[in-house]
Amino acid sequence: MSMNELFEKQIAELQRAHFLVLYWTTVAEDKKIRYNITNVFDDLKYLKVTRTKQSAVAFVETLKTLCFIAIREESNRKNLYLSNYGAQALEKLIISKKFEPEKSNYLEG
Amino acid sequence: MAIGIGGAGGKLASLMSPNSVAVNVSETELSKVNAAEKILAYAHTERGQLKGSKKDPSIGKSSFNSIRAQILEAVQGNMVLSSSGGGTGNGITSQILDVIATYDNIPDIRKTEFAIILPYAPRESQEFIVNTLEFLKGPLSNALDSTNTGNLFLFSNKMKFEQRIAEEKYNQMIVESLKKFEAIPKKGDTCELLEGHIDHEDFAAYRSKSFFNNFCYFDYDPERYFGDQLNENANPLLLPGETPIEALFLLEVPTDYDHTVFYNILDHFSSIKVAPMYSVVRNPAIDKPFVTVSTLYSRKPMELVNDFNRISDESTQAKIDKSLEQYVEFQQMNVTLQEEAQKVAHEKGQPTDEIISVLKRLGKLK
């Protein structure tokens, strides 16, 4: 399997929650607002995607493991930053129209 | 008696003689033919009796077994008429020729003559040509080599196509032409015999020879060289003949005409080392000398095949040239889903565009 195919396969496996995290991370970076795991959990809970913090952490961990995002410890907060791979993944998901972008309550509420 | 095999053969045979036999795999075709005896060859599929042989000789060949004994009995001492292009005529005639080729010592009176109608390669379908090539190379060539057949008449559809003659009229022409040849010994019965003699037995012996027969008839002008007139008046219905091995002629002269002009004809044949069988008769019904000539030649079908191949080649080449002229290169369009989706998104000005431009602004996308 070529690297490209692997990349495509990884993107195909992403769920709505992963997409939203990638999307919100982008919006946060664009607005120069720091966006951390707790914010992710709040936003996902607000949209009724999940009710537990563990699953929110799991979504973020997955994206980190896939190198789609980077997590940096800043002032005792784990902030999310989109990687170049994550940007490409987000681009593909947007184009494929697999998921609809939704507003983050924290960033745009 | 004439035995017509297949569509073309059946029509010809019914014109040839009132007590003809027609053979076909199609009941419908048989019902249209005015023959004394009709033989339906069985060619079955799961849908029942076939209504034709689809121009496929193998169907004719397989149906042969259903009428084998009957047809082999019928053809003895008679003439088979068929075409080499289609499925029935070609298929059944091939089988008959194959069986005949295996006989040992067949008496002259039981030999079968074959009149084969060959397609005209530049105008007729490629299937006809391919079928004919197979027929000439295989069964016809083998039967001829076995010397178990009578005369073989090779008619060509060339004149029909070149002069735009209706099929019925063309068939009539072929039959009339054959009847003129067959009338040779009868002239000896009805007219005053002046020189030589071709009686019915001589004629039958001549016709039982395994050679190609080329015959023609024309008003003879004793002032001119006979060989030239023979070339000019070649029978347009038959495939052109070759150097004769044997010959036969009937000269009819009007009343009070010096019939010794027949020596001119003998001179011509002696110059090509052939001693013909001949008959000179006085026919009061004509006012100019009239000659009917038949020559036998043994040109191998292989050479005929080459002729056919050449013509078929030329017409195939012409078809190829034409299809090359009509060749159109298709443009390959490289369409990717991503590009198309982007294009559509851009046209609709959707928010997705915005995110991508944000990603680009952030330097995360190139």
Side-chain angles (χ1 to χ4, degrees), chain B residues 20-323:
Chain B
S20 60
V21 180
V23 182
N24 211 318
V25 295
S26 160
E27 213 166 349
T28 330
E29 286 295 312
L30 267 185
S31 69
K32 290 186 206 159
V33 178
N34 185 25
E37 193 185 342
K38 295 173 183 182
I39 301 175
L40 179 67
Y42 288 94
H44 278 306
T45 65
E46 57 274 23
R47 285 170 59 209
Q49 174 74 7
L50 287 174
K51 293 191 170 62
S53 55
K54 308 180 200 167
K55 298 186 179 61
D56 178 0
S58 65
I59 289 179
K61 282 181 183 174
S62 65
S63 73
F64 169 75
N65 279 332
S66 69
I67 53 165
R68 187 186 172 96
Q70 199 179 1
I71 190 94
L72 287 175
E73 179 63 35
V75 299
Q76 293 203 355
N78 289 315
M79 180 186 267
V80 167
L81 296 116
S82 99
S83 82
S84 63
T88 316
N90 179 321
I92 296 181
T93 312
S94 297
Q95 297 288 66
I96 296 173
L97 284 165
D98 283 347
V99 174
I100 285 178
T102 63
Y103 288 162
D104 290 330
N105 288 331
I106 177 166
D108 281 357
I109 53 159
R110 305 187 80 168
K111 283 189 177 174
T112 308
E113 286 177 288
F114 290 86
I116 311 292
I117 320 289
L118 304 175
Y120 180 45
R123 292 283 173 87
E124 295 195 61
S125 95
Q126 206 67 21
E127 280 166 315
F128 282 6
I129 309 303
V130 172
N131 291 347
T132 301
L133 283 172
E134 294 298 316
F135 179 77
L136 292 176
K137 278 194 290 187
L140 190 75
S141 178
N142 295 340
L144 196 76
D145 285 344
S146 74
T147 70
N148 286 340
T149 68
N151 287 179
L152 293 155
F153 299 87
L154 294 178
F155 288 95
S156 159
N157 265 348
K158 182 177 178 189
M159 187 187 178
K160 176 178 186 284
F161 281 92
E162 287 189 342
Q163 298 192 11
R164 309 167 75 95
I165 301 170
E167 186 182 293
E168 203 182 334
K169 193 181 166 203
Y170 197 68
N171 286 345
Q172 199 75 47
M173 286 164 75
I174 290 177
V175 168
E176 274 169 21
S177 186
L178 271 171
K179 280 184 175 170
K180 277 218 169 69
F181 169 68
E182 288 188 333
I184 290 176
K186 290 175 198 150
K187 289 276 165 71
D189 298 344
T190 54
C191 301
E192 181 195 347
L193 194 64
L194 301 170
E195 298 279 344
H197 192 203
I198 303 169
D199 63 25
H200 290 273
E201 301 309 325
D202 298 331
F203 192 64
Y206 181 84
R207 288 176 67 174
S208 67
K209 289 175 178 163
S210 257
F211 289 118
F212 293 108
N213 189 330
N214 189 290
F215 62 90
C216 59
Y217 32 84
F218 52 92
D219 289 329
Y220 173 52
D221 176 4
E223 301 297 312
R224 292 181 55 213
Y225 182 58
F226 178 77
D228 295 341
Q229 296 183 62
L230 193 60
N231 290 338
E232 286 164 19
N233 293 291
N235 193 334
L237 301 165
L238 286 162
L239 224 65
E242 287 290 305
T243 318
I245 289 170
E246 296 196 29
L248 167 152
F249 71 87
L250 167 80
L251 178 66
E252 297 166 68
V253 292
T255 322
D256 299 332
Y257 193 92
D258 177 12
H259 71 269
T260 55
V261 292
F262 82 93
Y263 284 114
N264 298 353
I265 303 176
L266 286 181
D267 284 348
H268 162 72
F269 280 114
S270 103
S271 76
I272 52 170
K273 299 190 176 57
V274 174
M277 216 191 289
Y278 63 92
S279 181
V280 184
V281 299
R282 192 177 303 287
N283 185 351
I286 56 174
D287 53 6
K288 267 189 272 184
F290 188 81
V291 67
T292 311
V293 191
S294 159
T295 56
L296 296 183
Y297 61 98
S298 73
R299 191 189 192 203
K300 286 284 177 191
M302 206 53 227
E303 292 166 62
L304 278 172
V305 167
N306 291 342
D307 267 4
F308 253 89
N309 272 330
R310 186 177 49 74
I311 297 171
S312 157
D313 230 40
E314 283 167 9
S315 77
T316 308
Q317 195 54 47
K319 278 181 195 164
I320 292 171
D321 288 348
K322 207 157 276 169
S323 58

Side-chain angles (χ1 to χ4, degrees), chain A:
Chain A
M1 191 189 281
S2 74
M3 291 308 285
N4 243 348
E5 279 174 69
L6 175 64
F7 186 55
E8 297 281 346
K9 201 164 160 56
Q10 288 172 342
I11 293 166
E13 294 288 320
L14 293 182
Q15 298 163 16
R16 177 162 169 250
H18 298 121
F19 166 75
L20 290 172
V21 174
L22 288 174
Y23 173 61
W24 292 328
T25 311
T26 310
V27 175
E29 274 192 62
D30 190 40
K31 289 181 186 284
K32 298 196 174 23
I33 301 173
R34 286 182 174 159
Y35 190 60
N36 62 38
I37 290 183
T38 311
N39 305 137
V40 169
F41 171 56
D42 291 340
D43 280 341
L44 288 177
K45 198 167 69 175
Y46 183 79
L47 286 176
K48 299 194 170 117
V49 175
T50 180
R51 283 192 294 126
T52 61
K53 185 148 190 184
Q54 287 99 312
S55 16
V57 170
F59 291 134
V60 171
E61 283 297 326
T62 307
L63 290 171
K64 182 182 171 280
T65 312
L66 286 171
C67 300
F68 287 174
I69 54 167
I71 297 174
R72 278 185 235 148
E73 284 260 4
E74 289 164 332
S75 339
N76 211 20
R77 293 282 179 277
K78 290 183 175 183
N79 293 328
L80 274 56
Y81 294 90
L82 196 71
S83 72
N84 288 351
Y85 287 120
Q88 284 177 38
L90 181 59
E91 185 195 33
K92 283 193 189 294
L93 286 172
I94 294 264
I95 289 165
S96 72
K97 294 197 184 332
K98 198 170 164 188
F99 308 110
E100 278 292 309
E102 305 209 31
K103 283 190 176 173
S104 146
N105 193 39
Y106 171 72
L107 298 165
E108 297 167 278

